[in-house]
Amino acid sequence: GADTVLVWDQHTNPSFLYDNFSDDRANMNMLGLYHYTFRDVQNIVTAGGDISDEERAALESWLEGRTHAENDMSGIYEGKNLMLIQLESIDTWMLTESYMPNLYALKQQSLTFDKHYTPAYITAGTFNTEFMVNTSLIPAQPGLSMSVYTSNDFPNAMASLFEAKGYTARSFHGSEAEIYTRGAIHENLGYEKYYAGSDMQMHHYQFDRYLMSGYEAMTENTPFFSFIITISGHGAYGPHNMIGQTHQEAADAVAERTEENYRYAVAHAMETDLFIGMLLEQLEADGRMEDTVLIFYADHCNYYVLDNTLLKDIKGVDDLNKVDHTDLFIYDGGKTTGHVEKVTSSLDVLPTIANLFGLDADYAAMIGHDAFAPEGGWAFWQDGSWYDGTQWSREVRQDIADQKQMSQLILAADYFSDK
């Protein structure tokens, strides 16, 4: 249904537009001024606070019990520029010296999170992780309208926190603003502007190399926070895909397996790696790396191989939840290196970044935890599974059940609307 599932072209569905009221231009064209105004007023009147007194009391009590401890990593990047790069479908097995030499080289000089996971809560894997990373909240579950993404207040979202710190916060992606209603959502999360492929005048939106046409906007003001979402790793794979055609000969020459989709995946990863190499070269040429931190993470495992048995075999695991082990690492020019063994998930990215950059964050209202603080240290999935670094279990844990419930209550109540 429209309340729980995001699909690629859902933004064009009239019922979806009416229910979620997330595209002003499309809704005005569809409804006309009179009914548009009526629907707008109706949304304002009914927005937020949709939880019981008992639920609100439980939420407030839970928030009061949450703490965040300062640590040796607190504020080490305060005032630095940040480029946060979400890597579309770049899985752990793809990040090798043969397949992605530029990104591989950066990872060897980075602070890496060796037990990082990207659990999925909605079928749109990219947006699922994108929302979790930006808000440290779980995406809207059944019973909540997707309008929460565009109508709720999010002063604790990453872009809002950086802007409050004096940063210019902008987001960049090849797809147009209407896809996933991303333009409206990003603006509501605090980004000054969402730069689509057409805004950046990309020669072709599916080729990550052309993200470099947005470089000036990414680095225009100092300090800056630029959220960059790659796209070249995206399926569907096949001989018809131009990215595959461009890199297939090179991919076939180094691919360690013969499965067709495996080789296509390698070809697509090569295009993303080309962009990373170009970006780093330009940052270094401009002398910006001294004051810029790059953080890389994958939006999800590479499920475009379209074969769960193959995916488990490639990653050497026996459970589908375990294939959600993905990369997260921080590159600051090689000054900070090493390995973080604590288990992290997409929910932990925002509190960790807030701690590193000294942002004035409400850690209590983040469902995840700062990776460098003593709190947290687990990942959990929709089916009740969890992993804490020593065991995988489906046994019910009350603290994890509370995290899931309170995340939804924060969204349902529009918790930050009166903060």
Side-chain angles (χ1 to χ4, degrees):
D3 288 349
T4 59
V5 179
L6 283 168
V7 296
W8 188 251
D9 60 353
Q10 197 166 16
H11 64 281
T12 63
N13 184 300
S15 176
F16 173 84
L17 287 168
Y18 188 83
D19 289 342
N20 294 282
F21 212 65
S22 54
D23 186 329
D24 291 341
R25 180 178 299 177
N27 277 283
M28 177 70 81
N29 290 337
M30 180 175 68
L31 302 175
L33 178 61
Y34 177 80
H35 194 77
Y36 173 91
T37 304
F38 168 79
R39 183 73 175 122
D40 192 30
V41 171
Q42 183 183 44
N43 276 354
I44 293 171
V45 170
T46 60
D50 191 21
I51 62 174
S52 68
D53 291 342
E54 291 79 10
E55 288 173 325
R56 188 174 294 277
L59 174 59
E60 294 291 350
S61 175
W62 183 77
L63 292 169
E64 288 172 5
R66 307 250 309 158
T67 60
H68 172 259
E70 293 220 347
N71 49 74
D72 291 343
M73 300 295 282
S74 298
I76 67 166
Y77 295 139
E78 189 163 2
K80 297 279 190 181
N81 305 313
L82 171 62
M83 284 186 162
L84 180 65
I85 303 176
Q86 178 170 296
L87 300 164
E88 168 66 50
S89 301
I90 301 301
D91 213 333
T92 52
W93 56 271
M94 304 163 78
L95 216 167
T96 70
E97 189 170 13
S98 296
Y99 300 167
M100 304 188 74
N102 294 309
L103 193 56
Y104 176 84
L106 291 186
K107 185 180 177 182
Q108 306 318 301
Q109 306 171 65
S110 293
L111 181 64
T112 63
F113 296 74
D114 293 339
K115 297 177 181 176
H116 182 70
Y117 291 83
T118 52
Y121 285 85
I122 55 177
T123 58
T126 298
F127 181 78
N128 170 84
T129 303
E130 184 178 330
F131 181 74
M132 293 170 77
V133 164
N134 273 275
T135 64
S136 193
L137 295 170
I138 295 168
Q141 299 299 289
L144 288 180
S145 170
M146 276 176 49
S147 64
V148 297
Y149 302 131
T150 52
S151 62
N152 280 21
D153 288 328
F154 291 100
N156 211 38
M158 194 178 307
S160 296
L161 293 176
F162 271 108
E163 287 212 323
K165 195 78 169 177
Y167 281 68
T168 298
R170 297 170 175 173
S171 57
F172 304 83
H173 184 46
S175 291
E176 292 307 296
E178 293 81 9
I179 305 298
Y180 294 157
T181 321
R182 188 177 266 122
I185 292 173
H186 279 211
E187 181 179 344
N188 197 46
L189 292 178
Y191 288 99
E192 173 189 283
K193 179 177 173 60
Y194 169 75
Y195 287 80
S198 57
D199 298 313
M200 292 182 277
Q201 298 183 337
M202 292 177 68
H203 182 68
H204 196 292
Y205 81 96
Q206 288 182 316
F207 282 79
D208 283 337
R209 71 185 75 180
Y210 296 120
L211 282 167
M212 288 303 297
S213 61
Y215 178 80
E216 184 176 339
M218 295 173 187
T219 58
E220 186 175 8
N221 298 318
T222 301
F224 59 78
F225 162 45
S226 292
F227 178 39
I228 303 166
I229 307 169
T230 69
I231 197 171
S232 293
H234 204 290
Y237 297 154
H240 60 281
N241 193 300
M242 290 185 293
I243 297 169
Q245 293 174 9
T246 301
H247 296 281
Q248 206 61 61
E249 184 175 345
D252 289 345
V254 296
E256 296 178 0
R257 299 180 67 118
T258 59
E259 291 91 351
E260 188 176 54
N261 269 3
Y262 181 98
R263 292 183 289 107
Y264 287 140
V266 173
H268 284 243
M270 287 178 167
E271 177 63 28
T272 297
D273 192 63
L274 180 62
F275 160 65
I276 299 301
M278 294 169 69
L279 177 63
L280 184 65
E281 182 180 9
Q282 192 63 56
L283 288 169
E284 290 177 337
D286 293 347
R288 294 187 185 275
M289 269 313 305
E290 183 64 29
D291 294 315
T292 302
V293 177
L294 303 178
I295 300 181
F296 299 90
Y297 70 93
D299 55 353
H300 48 72
C301 67
N302 191 300
Y303 49 61
Y304 292 110
V305 295
L306 302 177
D307 184 332
N308 290 339
T309 301
L310 173 60
L311 190 55
K312 287 191 290 184
D313 184 45
I314 292 171
K315 302 193 75 167
V317 299
D318 58 3
D319 185 286
L320 269 182
N321 284 341
K322 294 180 182 179
V323 303
D324 290 329
H325 177 221
T326 54
D327 278 296
L328 168 64
F329 56 95
I330 300 172
Y331 176 74
D332 62 3
K335 294 185 283 291
T336 308
T337 61
H339 299 268
V340 177
E341 293 297 328
K342 183 178 180 180
V343 176
T344 57
S345 79
S346 307
L347 292 167
D348 301 317
V349 175
L350 172 56
T352 300
I353 289 176
N355 178 62
L356 291 169
F357 284 82
L359 305 181
D360 186 16
D362 182 357
Y363 289 94
M366 295 181 184
I367 301 304
H369 302 88
D370 169 18
F372 302 107
E375 300 86 9
W378 53 78
F380 54 88
W381 282 258
Q382 180 76 317
D383 65 1
S385 300
W386 52 268
Y387 175 56
D388 65 0
T390 58
Q391 65 171 322
W392 287 86
S393 177
R394 277 188 165 84
E395 183 178 340
V396 175
R397 273 183 56 167
Q398 189 58 49
D399 52 357
I400 290 176
D402 288 344
Q403 283 179 280
K404 291 181 177 180
Q405 180 188 15
M406 298 308 161
S407 180
Q408 295 307 289
L409 290 180
I410 288 172
L411 289 178
D414 192 6
Y415 172 77
F416 291 106
S417 63
D418 59 350
K419 301 297 179 183

